[in-house]
């Protein structure tokens, strides 16, 4: 226990020092300035070549999304996520050690050429993330968290940042094991992360970027728009889950790539009543889950001596 407390403290202090260094010392490997540069680049595209010309430069919820960037990328890690995830990783390693597993890497790509390492890491990670994204839509309680991202009604680059911080926990936890099985370096991860971040920004940018046949491979603002459509082109759980690649949607039949690009109404059923403020949006899924739990308890009935509850875990 003392060991975990020490890790918690060291991670917290380490991340604070890292943030301080990053802000004061611009450098090529400096995430803060890359993020700013990418954002300014995408915003310039919106200013110079807007797709929806009538949309204001400071569109609806622009500042809300800007705050999400600061919170999701820095504050959330600072106030505890970074430290807790370090403790989680250590506890997981200890757990594995108790069953005799000391080494998770089963596919060591450290000796491969740089391009092959980066490509492998990128493709594996994107496929894992595509599956996690589908889970966020299909599992009722996960959808309550993901709704925050889908509450965007006017699309712009900063909408990329609007997601519930718990999504970071879901993504990092679920992708940890598959990625830990590949032996890659931190620099590889940094480069792949930056590349996917850039494409993610572009996907939300108010710019027309027709890719022709490449659209079956790469996600872009036109295809991601359909992912955010209020009226889904196909019922059930949605289309175009690819974060960077459209390839998985194309291969597994969840893609929607119409020939004609047109703008669609964004959101989901009931978006009009979804909270508009940051803290209310953060609280929303927890409040909703608590309410479900209370309703389930109230409605629980005894049928022939067995307990049955209502089917309340439906995404709405
Ligand atoms: Zn989604
Ligand atoms: Zn999106």
């Amino acid at each position: 226990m003392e060991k975990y407390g020490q890790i918690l403290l060291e991670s917290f202090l380490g991340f604070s020092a890292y943030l301080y260094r990053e802000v004061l010392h611009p450098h090529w490997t400096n995430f803060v300035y890359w993020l700013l540069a990418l954002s300014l680049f995408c915003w310039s595209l919106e200013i110079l070549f807007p797709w929806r010309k009538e949309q204001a430069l400071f569109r609806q919820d622009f500042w809300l999304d800007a705050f999400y960037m600061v919170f999701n990328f820095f504050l959330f890690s600072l106030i505890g996520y970074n430290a807790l995830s370090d403790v989680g990783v250590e506890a997981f390693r200890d757990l594995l050690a108790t069953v005799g597993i000391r080494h998770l890497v089963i596919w060591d790509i450290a000796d491969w050429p740089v391009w092959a390492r980066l490509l492998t890491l990128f493709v594996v990670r994107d496929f894992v993330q595509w599956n996690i994204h589908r889970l966020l839509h299909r599992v009722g309680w996960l959808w309550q968290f993901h709704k925050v991202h889908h509450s965007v009604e006017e699309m712009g680059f900063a909408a990329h940042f609007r997601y519930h911080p718990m999504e970071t926990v879901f993504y990092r936890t679920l992708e940890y094991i598959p990625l830990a099985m590949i032996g890659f370096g931190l620099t590889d991860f940094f480069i792949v992360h930056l590349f996917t971040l850039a494409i993610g920004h572009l996907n939300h940018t108010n710019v027309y970027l027709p890719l022709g046949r490449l659209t079956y491979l790469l996600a872009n603002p036109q295809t991601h728009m359909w992912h955010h459509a209020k009226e889904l082109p196909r019922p059930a759980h949605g289309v175009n889950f690819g974060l960077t690649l459209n390839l998985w949607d194309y291969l597994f039949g969840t893609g929607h790539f119409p020939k004609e690009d047109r703008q669609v109404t964004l959101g989901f059923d009931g978006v009009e009543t979804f909270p508009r403020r940051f803290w209310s949006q953060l609280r929303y899924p927890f409040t909703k889950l608590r309410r479900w739990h209370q309703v389930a308890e109230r409605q629980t009935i005894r049928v022939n001596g067995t307990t049955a509850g209502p089917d309340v875990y439906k995404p709405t």
Side-chain angles (χ1 to χ4, degrees):
M1 263 305 151
E2 202 179 307
K3 177 176 81 167
Y4 296 135
Q6 187 67 22
I7 293 173
L8 209 66
L9 184 68
E10 280 172 12
S11 298
F12 177 74
L13 294 176
F15 193 80
S16 313
Y18 154 81
L19 254 189
Y20 184 72
R21 259 196 331 270
E22 288 262 298
V23 173
L24 290 187
H25 302 98
H27 189 263
W28 281 110
T29 57
N30 186 315
F31 183 73
V32 175
Y33 288 96
W34 269 107
L35 189 63
L36 271 178
L38 283 173
S39 302
L40 287 176
F41 173 71
C42 289
W43 202 22
S44 312
L45 288 180
E46 288 189 358
I47 296 168
L48 296 171
F49 315 104
W51 182 25
R52 294 171 297 281
K53 296 191 181 359
E54 70 290 351
Q55 188 169 295
L57 279 185
F58 292 93
R59 60 173 175 81
Q60 180 193 336
D61 295 337
F62 180 92
W63 293 112
L64 172 72
D65 294 343
F67 184 71
Y68 264 106
M69 174 179 85
V70 177
F71 188 86
N72 277 332
F73 283 86
F74 306 111
L75 292 183
F76 184 54
S77 289
L78 183 67
I79 59 176
Y81 170 69
N82 196 59
L84 285 174
S85 70
D86 280 357
V87 170
V89 167
E90 189 63 21
F92 182 64
R93 282 195 188 133
D94 289 348
L95 184 72
L96 288 181
T98 59
V99 290
I101 302 173
R102 304 209 169 269
H103 204 52
L104 257 186
V105 179
I106 56 165
W107 191 22
D108 199 343
I109 62 172
D111 294 336
W112 290 15
V114 177
W115 68 267
R117 266 195 343 246
L118 293 178
L119 187 67
T120 307
L121 177 60
F122 163 64
V123 172
V124 171
R125 184 173 180 240
D126 197 69
F127 183 57
V128 172
Q129 291 193 332
W130 177 76
N131 279 292
I132 298 172
H133 191 185
R134 283 174 64 226
L135 275 183
L136 292 179
H137 280 260
R138 281 169 182 264
V139 179
W141 67 271
L142 287 176
W143 169 239
Q144 301 310 317
F145 289 91
H146 192 47
K147 262 178 170 177
V148 171
H149 182 61
H150 282 264
S151 67
V152 173
E153 291 180 276
E154 267 192 354
M155 188 62 80
F157 77 95
H160 186 208
F161 308 122
R162 192 194 306 182
Y163 55 86
H164 198 287
M166 282 302 289
E167 280 201 30
T168 306
V169 178
F170 302 145
Y171 272 98
R172 296 297 163 265
T173 307
L174 292 171
E175 72 184 16
Y176 176 75
I177 294 180
L179 292 186
M181 289 165 118
I182 311 173
F184 60 85
L186 271 182
T187 312
D188 295 350
F189 193 82
F190 181 76
I191 294 170
V192 169
H193 185 53
L194 267 190
F195 176 69
T196 52
L197 198 69
I199 303 289
H201 265 41
L202 267 179
N203 290 342
H204 294 86
T205 298
N206 178 24
V207 67
Y208 186 57
L209 208 66
L211 294 183
R213 285 186 175 277
L214 263 183
T215 212
Y216 297 108
L217 180 70
L218 263 183
N220 56 71
Q222 281 65 54
T223 55
H224 194 66
M225 182 69 95
W226 284 105
H227 179 68
H228 280 265
K230 186 171 183 179
E231 248 177 69
L232 294 170
R234 265 178 250 146
H237 302 287
V239 295
N240 300 357
F241 298 96
L243 298 185
T244 309
L245 294 177
N246 273 342
L247 181 69
W248 316 118
D249 289 299
Y250 178 63
L251 291 178
F252 295 101
T254 50
H256 181 69
F257 316 118
K259 292 242 169 354
E260 294 278 313
D261 291 318
R262 70 179 169 85
Q263 291 150 31
V264 290
T265 308
L266 308 180
F268 48 82
D269 271 349
V271 72
E272 309 75 23
T273 56
F274 195 76
R276 318 285 333 165
R277 290 175 184 279
F278 179 77
W279 291 111
S280 315
Q281 292 188 345
L282 251 50
R283 273 198 309 271
Y284 172 85
F286 299 108
T287 314
K288 185 94 177 175
L289 295 180
R290 200 176 57 237
R291 212 174 297 142
W292 276 354
H293 187 68
Q294 286 165 349
V295 170
E297 268 187 346
R298 237 180 283 132
Q299 292 185 358
T300 297
I301 49 169
R302 287 200 165 269
V303 182
N304 294 336
T306 58
T307 305
D311 179 19
V312 290
Y313 290 95
K314 276 187 187 145
T316 53

